[in-house]
Amino acid sequence: MSELGVIIIGAIFINNIVLSQFLGICPFLGVSKKLSSAIGMGIAVTFVMALAGTLTWIIQSYILNPLGIAYLQTIAFILVIAALVQFVEMVIKKTSPGLYKALGVYLPLITTNCAVLGIAIVSIQKNYSLIEAVVNNVANAVGFTLALILMAGIRERIEESDIPKCFHGFPIALFTASLMSIAFLGFTGLL
Amino acid sequence: MLYAVISLAAMGAVFGVMLAVASKKFAVEVDPRVEEILQALPGVNCGSCGFAGCSGYAEAVVKGEAPVGACNPGGAEAKQKMAAIMGTDTADSGMERKIARLLCNGSTSNSSMLYKYEGIEDCHAAAVHYSGPKACHYGCLGLGSCVKACPFGAIKMGTEGLPVINTDLCTGCNICVQTCPKQLLQLAGISQLVDVRCRNKGKAKEAKDVCKAACIKCKLCEKNCPEGAVQVVTDNEGSVAVIDHTKCTNCGICVTKCPTKAIEKASPIKAEVCAVQDGPSENKPAGCGSCHICG
Amino acid sequence: MRNIIKLGVFLLVVAGLAGLGIAYVNGLTEPIIAGQLLESKLSSFKEVYADADEIKDETDTYLKGADPVIAEINVAYKNGAPAGVIYTVATAGYGGPVQSLVGFDIESQQTTAVKVISQTETPGLGAKAVENSFSDGFKNKDAARPVEIVKKEPVQGNQVLAITAATITSKAVADGVNAARENFMSNFVK
Amino acid sequence: MSLVNEFTKGIIRENPLFVLVLGTCPALAITTSVNNGLGMGAAFTAVLLASNIVISALRKVIPDSIRIPSYIVIVAAFVTMIDLIMHAYTPALYKALGIYIPLIVVNCIILGRAEAFANKNGVGASIMDALGMGVGYTLALVVMSGIREILGAGTFFGIPVLGASASPALIMILPPGGFIAFGCILALMNKLQQKAS
Amino acid sequence: MNNQNNLLVVSSSPHVHSADSVQSAMRDVQIALIPALFVALYFFRFSAALVIVACVLSAVISEAATQKLMKKEVTVKDGSAVVTGLLLAFCLPPAISPWIAAIGAAVAIVLVKQFFGGLGCNIFNPALIGRAFLVAAWPVAMTTWVSPLDGITTATPLGIIKEGLQQELPSLGQMFLGNVGGCLGETSALALLLGGLYLIYKGHVDWRIPVSYIGSVFVLTAVIGAFQGQGLSYPVFHILAGGLFLGAFFMATDWVTSPITKKGRIIFGLGCGCLTVLIRLKGGYPEGVCYSILLMNTLTPLIDRYTKERVFGRVKKHA
Amino acid sequence: MRKLTFRGGIHVPGHKEQTCNLASQPAIVPDRVYIPLSQHTGAPCSPLVQVGDAVKKGQKIGEGKGFVTSPIHASVSGKVIALEKREQPGGNFVFCLVIENDKKEEWDEAVKAPANPGGFTPEELRKIVFEAGIVGLGGAAFPSHVKYSPVEGKKADVIILNGVECEPYITADHRLMLEKPDRITAGLNYIMKSVNCSQGVIAIEDNKQDAIAVMEKATAQEKNIRVVVLQEKYPQGSEKQLIYACTGREVPVGGLPLDVGVVVNNVGTAAAIADAVELGIPLIERVLTLNGAVNKPANYRVRIGTLFKDIIAASGGYTGETGKILAGGPMMGKTLYNDEVPVVKGTSGILILKKEDVRSEKEQHCVRCAKCVDGCPAFLEPTTLVKLAKKELWEEAENNDLLSCIECGSCVYVCPAHIPLLQYIRRAKQAVQAARAKAKK
């Protein structure tokens, strides 16, 4: 139990996927302009990462490892994730138009979100059990969502500020991220 | 080696088939023309077409609820594209570009003031106080609500306290016209150059007292216009000269006759500007911005 | 339906070819990678216990069940007899686990050397643990007494100078050494 | 002439990192030393080159409806190969770059180039495009990592450059420093663009 | 035309204004910092003076310079840069070299404040980012402490506990007065309390943040202390140690970066308190005030959003 | 004991010492009066007389259609010489009947004291109040008879007389309470009777101790009336805040005082009602304070329709260079662009500000000090509303309870960054109301 706790705290706060591992920077910068879309993206990523974590773990343990072809990890995982994302998108579109309106637009963006693939690989590298791997994936997704939501809150506020023109867009978002990551340094050594 | 090939190939096949099947099974009908029309529109969501943003308009067009030419910012080009998508006739696409014109000459040197206004720079906010700080209750307040409202940056405040419209950038979206609390902006075809730049309906003396460039209802324009295009129109508020642009030939006789220079002829606009509608360059719609593949 | 099969087959071919290519490259690189791993392991073993003819993994012999700290126990043989022991230990540092090798000499009952082989500590601070300036402090310590981290110049034999502003990392290494030391004392010192 | 143009555009005008702002994750994560930056750039260029060649060669064969999955498979294959090769021949670099090598797969630039360029152009042009983009990206990484390594570690390619008395600002090789350096460079690029236009 | 110069002024009500201005508020903050300033100068002498001067000068100069460069109005006269400089100096070790301190102040002003649009626009407390930046950049210099008066290298009370050093803890009385190792302006709880009360009296600081902050640290450490069998001196130690008073009265209460709702301020204070205790007891750093406030700063926009006051008259509908 | 008050609000220096001890004196009756056809909330009046007609004092000269309206009366006897558009203290232009004063002060025959004022039924009382043209004299000028008329399903159980007068510089109500406590008490009794309510409260701020004493004495015999002392705070006199302070009830958003069983009237209104009921005199005169940069600040009893200029001239004219002329106090008063503006029923004061006192500080960026939030008596976040208004997000502003703003100006008063918050909020309200009107169409 405490093992899982360590994984959760570590993934969300100490080694926050965005602020200290630099995964998923693109959507972090892109979809953090509005709080509502940040929440939507966060939920979509969490959903996909939980599914992808389970699926990749199963593939690794029951196909790649037994056959001695662990070196196919990258290509196998990306295939799984790409297919999964598209599949999920189609299913949601058909079954729940409301959910699709909320999440659908973010789903295509997730394929190229390196967080999904990155964390799936890390979970395998760390020799996690299935439960640990899923928890790790979800915790990282929560960390991503947390960073995204905090960022969106901040960006909605700085929108009304008199920011110098050349800092508009990416630069100011990066500076914000840098200050957030300085703040998150406070969590280092927490465990 | 063998395992690698087989398993990867199998995975490829499985996912390929799965997706193909899924795309059939979970297919949702979307009219692709909506997307295409959306592409043809400038995407500024100005609302001048009367629909909720560009996507609302695009859907309405596809459903046949809206005509193809209702987008002013898109101009003739968008109309043609949309007509092509919808397969409608493009023969009548000779739509003239429209731009906004200011109908007031009450510059700081021409007009007198009622009081010194202090407060936020907003025409509506100032108009609450005795119709605004200008002595002329019909005149431009010069606080730039139209400047702020213009989504294309086409209006700038001039040195004389009146907004100046950049004809190159103006798309005729009608937003400034709706914004002006004094209704001093009007859309007109780009070839129309002559305007009565005064809306003061007060009596000649009162109008003259508050602004040097006011229409004094002398009817000289009306008498001298060879086309009968200028008329002093009277309603229950009073009277003022108005030009009927469908008749006006830009001859400029009324301009020379007007004793207060309330009628003005704009300098002709460059032919290429008239002909080609440059899309809004700086104000493209912002995509998600996360990457450039989809955006 | 035919279309679906066609697409599936195409993807099958592409994926198959990709698998073929990767498998081929893997065939080329696999032995090199394996060799490298072994070599780097041996060379780091050499660094903590230089004087050995043969090194054998005897974790199962000396470790009863899983140990939270000690991961591996390798025994260095010289002239057919055990001469030294190399422990692979992992302890919690500041930014994650700190993995180090601790070498003991059976005859002198002293540490030979300590080497940090993997860590995720703060660069410039805790990451200095890999440098000799720190790990040299652990050389030739009496295995009977626990090592102790101090912030000022060591005065006693069992003391080691901490890395400046990184006491936690220093202690993590020392914890590993102490865990190895206890195992060493119970197994190799009669 | 146009081939030269395909090559040079990626270096400055359409620099993938500084102008198009693509491939940001590795650019922030591994630019703590110039060695890493250069290694990442090289690996990236190799993958981009290989995948651009294959995709442009196959562009008429690949069915349109499954082109993205096909690209992903092709790119992933090359990434895996590079991963294995680096593991075998440059173990130190492999260890330093870690997970970011397999993550080249999801680097937006590669799929982006495949979709936007290799899909539509011949092999020759695609090679130049890949080289240009690859070199541009590598240069950008080297600039980023150079700034961070000099300020944060006081070294360049591991060689001390700041002199013994100056103590480097460690934060520059920590995560916040990455964001700051990248933000400053992008702001500078914005400024230059505004000046130009 | 007719008598256009003597027009009356027409404007929207109200037509009178309080004497308050941003400048006067900044002046009050400066006044409130004076007691702690004197304590710092008394205990840490010349080195403290050097650090303070470096910080304030650097802050003012970099504010003026960036505003000049960005072609904005130079507003150093509003005194906010001086306040930032002072606050940053107060949370630096007394023996730090002035050029490091100056870099911290420049980062605080340029990166945190001016890049985000100047006064009122910053998301994070500039002085605290300045400090956190320096901790990350020059960790050794930022964790080298000297004891008051004699200037010998020592450890802070929290450092002693954290690293389990065999060193005697100072008495609570010493900590109250400030005769301990630590950042140059944070050691004297007494002086900071005086300044803080002055600000509360002046209406610039809402009591909710310091009270909920210090209160939650006290309660949490008291409970934890009770579990460990420690008496009341344990929580008292924790509220006197480190930069808690400086943070609670001067940093967490920063207008720009703290919530604007009353409920939000209490949540903010509680959050700061919990994070401080968490970092102090479990985290890698001995002191958590700086980071806890910065972390809560990131939450401020969201806190504001979700703690809106019930509007007057929006009562539950029942008879 | 804790003093009764509301939550939020600010402390504004009263500046009342200059005039609060000056007995109210009759102002000069001018040669001409200008009586606007609309001085009240609701339908404007149409003139009942024509240019050239002779009118007598107290004669009804204008009347509106519908229920929410109030007639106007001639405040002097003489001849109607014009019907012209003039600017109003409210910032708009309204037609005024101009009456040339013949100085005969002849009362209209309709003005006569009834035989038995105590015997009126509630309906009769409301009719008298309506016919006398009585509107709220605190400033809002809402027709009083409307407030007293029964509403299906709602029952008033408390009448609050507002003697708070929290506007700085203004002492008209203060003087009225000192001078005519009996009229106020009598008026309150008539109001209670017309609403059929048994409880009356007279609310006074604790900075008017003398008025409290006088009113307590005047109501000592009245079992159903009590004087409530409130803490001195701005805007204590605002209707909803006053109700909360006196009764602890909150008027719901968008609701009326009657929704919580309360009717609020100004003390001046009560006195006017007493005059109307007992003497039959319509509302042609009111008390106002002239203060600020004039030679002799004073409290005047002024005929409705007197120009500001005449009152100012009568008290010795301006001192120094005039910057602003305010109808009302400095917090909620309206600026005028000249002094040729008539006193209307809702004019409680005239305040002259010198040019040098009209400082306009530059608007700075919000520093989020939240003083506006702490001071807002409606518990709004003025700074948030302003940010939305600046971005013209009217709908979102509406969702943030924009329309609950009572426009007291507290936020602007305390803002250290000198942001004209209230003007932005007013602009947003204007836009929201325009949008609503458009939606209705």
Side-chain angles (χ1 to χ4, degrees), chain B residues 230-255:
Chain B
V230 198
Q231 261 186 330
V232 175
V233 178
T234 307
D235 62 12
N236 54 3
E237 264 188 87
S239 55
V240 69
V242 174
I243 286 191
D244 182 349
H245 281 308
T246 57
K247 294 181 186 163
C248 176
T249 58
N250 294 334
C251 70
I253 295 173
C254 53
V255 178

Side-chain angles (χ1 to χ4, degrees), chain E residues 5-26 73 75 78 117-122 202-206 208 254-262 265 300-301 304-305 307-315 317, chain F residues 7 12 240-241 244 250-253 321-326 329-338 353 355 358-359 362 364-371 373-374 377-381 383-384 400-401 404 409 412-418 422-423 426:
Chain E
N5 291 327
N6 257 335
L7 293 173
L8 291 175
V9 172
V10 167
S11 63
S12 194
S13 68
H15 310 284
V16 282
H17 195 277
S18 74
D20 261 0
S21 66
V22 175
Q23 284 89 317
S24 70
M26 290 300 164
E73 195 191 344
T75 59
D78 67 20
L119 184 63
C121 301
N122 46 305
K202 275 286 194 172
H204 296 314
V205 157
D206 187 356
R208 286 176 182 85
D254 173 25
W255 283 347
V256 184
T257 56
S258 61
I260 57 172
T261 61
K262 297 184 188 77
R265 289 182 203 138
T300 296
D304 269 343
R305 209 184 166 94
T307 58
K308 281 201 196 307
E309 186 100 20
R310 171 191 67 90
V311 169
F312 183 84
R314 202 172 283 297
V315 276
K317 276 209 177 130
Chain F
R7 199 149 66 80
V12 185
K240 293 179 178 179
Q241 279 61 37
Y244 181 79
E250 274 188 43
V251 180
V253 169
E321 233 181 315
T322 305
K324 266 184 193 175
I325 300 177
L326 299 176
M331 292 304 289
M332 294 186 80
K334 303 272 169 63
T335 39
L336 309 176
Y337 68 83
N338 68 20
L353 297 179
K355 208 166 204 175
V358 182
R359 286 176 307 153
K362 224 185 103 206
Q364 287 167 284
H365 199 280
C366 170
V367 289
R368 291 171 47 84
C369 65
K371 288 189 177 179
V373 183
D374 295 344
F379 312 162
L380 299 169
E381 284 175 17
T383 173
T384 309
N400 277 280
D401 290 293
S404 288
V412 186
Y413 183 83
V414 293
C415 178
H418 299 282
L422 181 50
Q423 210 191 354
R426 285 196 175 115

Side-chain angles (χ1 to χ4, degrees), chain F residues 119-173:
Chain F
F120 288 124
T121 64
E123 288 77 30
E124 283 167 332
L125 281 171
R126 290 200 290 272
K127 183 93 175 34
I128 293 170
V129 168
F130 168 68
E131 285 297 333
I134 290 171
V135 299
L137 295 185
F142 189 79
S144 295
H145 67 277
V146 181
K147 281 191 188 177
Y148 309 151
S149 302
V151 176
E152 184 75 33
K154 285 170 190 168
K155 171 84 183 80
D157 58 359
V158 190
I159 309 292
I160 299 175
L161 277 199
N162 185 348
V164 171
E165 201 162 49
C166 55
E167 268 287 342
Y169 291 99
I170 308 293
T171 55
D173 288 349

Side-chain angles (χ1 to χ4, degrees), chain A residues 160, chain F residues 365-366 368 382-392:
Chain A
E160 66 224 17
Chain F
H365 199 280
C366 170
R368 291 171 47 84
T383 173
T384 309
L385 292 174
V386 167
K387 276 163 194 165
L388 295 172
K390 280 185 178 174
K391 285 194 258 173
E392 309 209 337

Side-chain angles (χ1 to χ4, degrees), chain D residues 170-187:
Chain D
L170 216 89
I171 192 169
M172 289 311 289
I173 51 173
L174 298 180
F179 285 117
I180 294 177
F182 195 33
C184 287
I185 293 173
L186 286 187

Side-chain angles (χ1 to χ4, degrees), chain D residues 15-197:
Chain D
N15 187 294
L17 185 57
F18 291 160
V19 180
L20 304 180
V21 198
L22 294 173
T24 47
C25 297
L28 288 165
I30 53 86
T31 51
T32 50
S33 75
V34 186
N35 265 331
N36 289 357
L38 207 56
M40 185 73 199
F44 170 84
T45 310
V47 174
L48 180 58
L49 185 61
S51 58
N52 248 17
I53 291 173
V54 172
I55 289 169
S56 73
L58 294 179
R59 69 185 185 279
K60 297 206 174 90
V61 189
I62 300 174
D64 207 43
S65 58
I66 52 160
R67 67 178 191 284
I68 297 286
S70 313
Y71 296 163
I72 290 179
V73 172
I74 293 165
V75 174
F78 286 120
V79 168
T80 311
M81 291 177 201
I82 292 289
D83 181 273
L84 292 171
I85 292 168
M86 285 179 80
H87 197 169
Y89 297 105
T90 55
L93 193 58
Y94 177 82
K95 213 176 159 194
L97 299 183
I99 190 169
Y100 293 96
I101 300 176
L103 287 186
I104 295 176
V105 180
V106 280
N107 191 319
C108 319
I109 307 172
I110 296 190
L111 270 187
R113 288 333 284 176
E115 178 74 4
F117 197 92
N119 187 26
K120 299 176 183 120
N121 292 283
V123 177
S126 295
I127 290 176
M128 293 317 278
D129 177 69
L131 283 177
M133 285 288 159
V135 171
Y137 191 64
T138 310
L139 275 179
L141 288 183
V142 169
V143 169
M144 273 276 287
S145 53
I147 294 172
R148 288 181 70 184
E149 192 183 334
I150 293 174
L151 291 179
T155 58
F156 189 69
F157 276 112
I159 305 153
V161 287
L162 277 190
S165 60
S167 61
L170 216 89
I171 192 169
M172 289 311 289
I173 51 173
L174 298 180
F179 285 117
I180 294 177
F182 195 33
C184 287
I185 293 173
L186 286 187
L188 200 70
M189 296 301 285
N190 275 354
K191 189 95 202 159
L192 291 177
Q193 262 177 350
Q194 279 161 18
K195 274 234 174 93
S197 68

